[in-house]
Amino acid sequence: PSLIAYAVSLAEATRDPRSVGLDDIAGLVDYGASPRGPIALVQSARALALVHGREYVLGSDVRSLAKDALRHRLVLTYRALAEQRSADDILDAVLERVAAPPLELGRPVAA
């Protein structure tokens, strides 16, 4: 899978946590990241790669920016607020569950 697919998978997991086996947080999210979330995530990962002097994006670039790009896009349930759970808690679980694509050396990685 590509890095774009990875970013989309992260956003989809916020919308439907059960689809990635996160049944325990499914009741904590009213609305997950919209399709604009992965777009922002990929664009910011490209910028981060450039800042690091690379012409390619790594899964770690996407992963390191995921919370910043997606946290404000989540609408939590009242249950989450009552349990003092944050968007970062949700995103930590999603990042732990959704695997980043493997790094393929010798082939340019485009995002």
Side-chain angles (χ1 to χ4, degrees):
S2 72
L3 292 170
I4 294 173
Y6 177 51
V8 169
S9 295
L10 291 173
E12 287 177 349
T14 67
R15 289 193 297 273
D16 184 13
R18 285 188 176 94
S19 70
V20 293
L22 293 172
D23 297 340
D24 55 328
I25 66 167
L28 302 178
V29 181
D30 261 340
Y31 298 100
S34 72
R36 290 186 300 172
I39 292 170
L41 183 52
V42 168
Q43 288 176 336
S44 58
R46 285 178 175 166
L48 182 61
L50 184 62
V51 166
H52 287 286
R54 288 184 271 112
E55 295 181 1
Y56 53 91
V57 176
L58 299 173
S60 59
D61 296 328
V62 174
R63 188 175 176 82
S64 69
L65 294 167
K67 286 192 210 178
D68 293 327
L70 302 177
R71 96 171 33 98
H72 66 283
R73 299 172 190 277
L74 304 183
V75 177
L76 304 182
T77 63
Y78 287 114
R79 177 180 151 208
L81 299 174
E83 294 177 8
Q84 296 183 338
R85 303 288 299 269
S86 68
D88 281 0
D89 294 335
I90 305 306
L91 291 168
D92 284 337
V94 167
L95 286 166
E96 186 175 315
R97 179 64 69 155
V98 178
L103 175 63
E104 295 181 24
L105 299 175
R107 191 180 117 202
V109 178

